Amino acid sequence: MKLRRCAVLYIESREDLSIDWRTVLSGGNALAASSHWVALAPHLDQEITIDAGQLAALGGASQTVWRERSAVEQQYGEVCIAELLELGLLIGDTPQYAAQRARDDTLRDTHWRPLSALAHTFGRWRGVVEETGMEAPSFQALLDRFGEPPPPTLDIHPELAIRLPAPAAGRMDEQLLQRYTGRNYDLQASVPLEVAARLLQRTFGAQEVRQVGPHSEVLKKTSPSGGGLHPVEAFVLAQRVDGVTPGLYHYHPMAHELRPLQTMDQDAAAALSRYMLADQHWLSGAPLQVVLVARLERSYWKYRNHQKAFRAVALDAGHLSQTFYLLATEAGLPAFITAAINDADIEKALGLDHLRHAVVAMCGCGPAADGPRSMVELRYGETDAI
Ligand SMILES: Cc1cc2nc3c(=O)[nH]c(=O)nc-3n(C[C@H](O)[C@H](O)[C@H](O)COP(=O)(O)O)c2cc1C
């Protein structure tokens, strides 16, 4: 049997701080620090504590060249190697280790930049229901806690400034100067099907299709995209869209169709939304929601092992979000975007693999509730405390 190291592996020296009560009682420095090694391997999707012997064996193994197991065992011991194979940090070439090898191969085949794979894998949330600071604290509360923030902008060479004319009125002003993030949705209202159709098509749909190879198409959309690849897809969570059964759908950008993944009743859709949004109840009432999912394999097909590729994917999602906001505004609807989502759980619900896909953000929109607002919004022309 032969083995090699998994493709991407980072080791962290993790510090554990504790109070040393014996020292406290004798009047010494109370804070005690110890540390242990943590292996971070994106294909395993969990942190693994390892010891110094395992660290040495991993450090000595090649991620490319397969070596005879017996030779490696001679160097580091049979037990150590058996444990690392079982953990999936070393990859074996026999059927016994097929599952770990398949995950490692998926990572290799997707052409990840290793640091990006690390940041993506270990930055995901599962089961977050309340995150400190997410209950949108008022700016006054932030001032009380952190003091004054850095100024709102740079102020470079004011003495050399060239004054610019006031912006002329333009056709886009109507949307630009009405757009705001809605946090008070009408929980009874729905989105008409025609409105949802325009929003989805003009944000996520292909406006044109160019045939660039026998089986290769390039889509033209209303937002720009790194490499023109448009890796970000729209999965719709319909809560109250006229004529659409509540549930999860994939929006097909070329066919302009909603393809059902899972339908459910309205209460189940509301609960799912709140869970996906990590308990942000001020957003979960929006009747039409969209999960922005990057198909990394499409982007990395061109940008192989590329430092900027993962960042470009996040920028793509941001552009789509602004287009979505402006189209919602045109329809008289407030909208939202958030990255504070349980992306690892959403992957499961949508049947996605984090090594090939990134659930980047969620958007949504819907009619605003009448009456007093319970959550802060930054609407133009208002001067309420925020
Ligand atoms: C990347 C990103 C993440 C955001 N995340 C949240 C969020 O988690 N919860 C929320 O209520 N708003 C979120 N927002 C909305 C911002 O809070 C909002 O844009 C900001 O307060 C300015 O208000 P405006 O959009 O009405 O101009 C997010 C916006 C962006 C661009």
Side-chain angles (χ1 to χ4, degrees):
M1 177 191 152
K2 290 191 169 154
L3 55 79
R4 66 179 176 182
R5 213 203 66 201
C6 60
V8 178
L9 174 66
Y10 288 88
I11 306 289
E12 181 185 331
S13 166
R14 179 84 47 89
E15 188 174 56
D16 310 300
L17 291 176
S18 59
I19 306 281
D20 183 344
W21 290 108
R22 237 184 286 173
T23 319
V24 175
L25 295 175
S26 59
N29 185 356
L31 211 50
S34 64
S35 57
H36 62 277
W37 297 113
V38 177
L40 301 166
H43 72 295
L44 297 176
D45 196 14
Q46 59 175 327
E47 301 182 355
I48 297 174
T49 297
I50 56 170
D51 61 30
Q54 292 170 327
L55 177 66
L58 289 169
S62 166
Q63 70 198 65
T64 312
V65 180
W66 295 89
R67 282 184 70 197
E68 283 300 336
R69 177 175 184 164
S70 52
V72 184
E73 282 175 343
Q74 265 185 2
Q75 221 174 333
Y76 300 104
E78 282 178 26
V79 175
C80 173
I81 298 309
E83 284 168 352
L84 290 174
L85 281 165
E86 209 50 54
L87 288 169
L89 293 169
L90 288 179
I91 306 295
D93 69 348
T94 56
Q96 188 186 349
Y97 302 108
Q100 296 96 321
R101 196 169 59 248
R103 296 304 287 153
D104 188 53
D105 284 345
T106 300
L107 181 54
R108 288 172 191 266
D109 294 345
T110 312
H111 307 295
W112 274 96
R113 184 82 186 167
L115 270 174
S116 300
L118 187 77
H120 164 58
T121 300
F122 295 99
R124 283 145 64 241
W125 281 1
R126 40 176 74 79
V128 173
V129 289
E130 202 182 345
E131 182 69 7
T132 312
M134 243 173 56
E135 189 74 40
S138 69
F139 268 89
Q140 189 53 56
L142 290 172
L143 283 172
D144 294 345
R145 197 161 149 210
F146 300 131
E148 297 285 333
T153 182
L154 297 172
D155 194 13
I156 299 170
H157 294 318
E159 71 285 4
L160 300 177
I162 301 167
R163 285 198 73 81
L164 299 172
R171 276 183 296 164
M172 288 175 68
D173 283 359
E174 207 180 322
Q175 281 73 49
L176 291 170
L177 301 179
Q178 293 288 327
R179 184 207 62 81
Y180 70 94
T181 297
R183 296 197 182 88
N184 298 276
Y185 291 97
D186 181 339
L187 300 182
Q188 310 307 322
S190 61
V191 172
L193 189 59
E194 300 70 38
V195 171
R198 175 170 163 79
L199 259 166
L200 291 172
Q201 208 286 332
R202 288 293 192 251
T203 308
F204 303 104
Q207 308 307 319
E208 288 180 9
V209 179
R210 297 269 170 94
Q211 201 72 34
V212 292
H215 305 290
S216 308
E217 288 96 5
V218 164
L219 307 184
K220 173 75 180 170
K221 297 192 185 180
T222 54
S223 298
S225 171
L229 293 163
H230 287 291
V232 177
E233 301 260 338
F235 285 81
V236 171
L237 172 56
Q239 289 202 72
R240 298 179 309 282
V241 178
D242 296 344
V244 178
T245 308
L248 286 170
Y249 297 82
H250 174 244
Y251 173 70
H252 194 294
M254 296 157 81
H256 184 46
E257 291 169 349
L258 286 176
R259 309 263 180 94
L261 296 173
Q262 187 192 350
T263 55
M264 57 194 80
D265 64 34
Q266 216 164 289
D267 288 346
L272 178 63
S273 162
R274 189 159 170 169
Y275 187 79
M276 288 161 77
L277 289 163
D279 210 33
Q280 294 189 78
H281 53 84
W282 55 94
L283 303 179
S284 62
L288 170 65
Q289 296 178 26
V290 183
V291 184
L292 304 188
V293 175
R295 285 168 55 232
L296 301 165
E297 52 198 354
R298 177 138 170 119
S299 174
Y300 297 173
W301 164 79
K302 174 176 178 183
Y303 298 115
R304 295 175 184 224
N305 192 24
H306 199 293
Q307 291 96 329
K308 307 288 182 185
F310 193 58
R311 185 187 301 184
V313 156
L315 289 169
D316 270 31
H319 284 88
L320 291 164
S321 155
Q322 174 71 349
T323 304
F324 182 88
Y325 260 88
L326 294 177
L327 284 159
T329 306
E330 176 199 58
L333 307 174
F336 75 80
I337 177 171
T338 175
I341 54 176
N342 280 313
D343 37 356
D345 296 311
I346 295 172
E347 287 159 11
K348 270 200 193 139
L350 300 178
L352 304 171
D353 176 0
H354 87 276
L355 294 178
R356 296 163 53 229
H357 310 106
V359 177
V360 184
M362 278 179 72
C363 293
C365 68
D370 289 333
R373 295 176 215 146
S374 54
M375 291 297 295
V376 68
E377 291 173 343
L378 258 181
R379 299 194 194 186
Y380 281 104
E382 296 184 347
T383 52
D384 324 8
I386 51 168

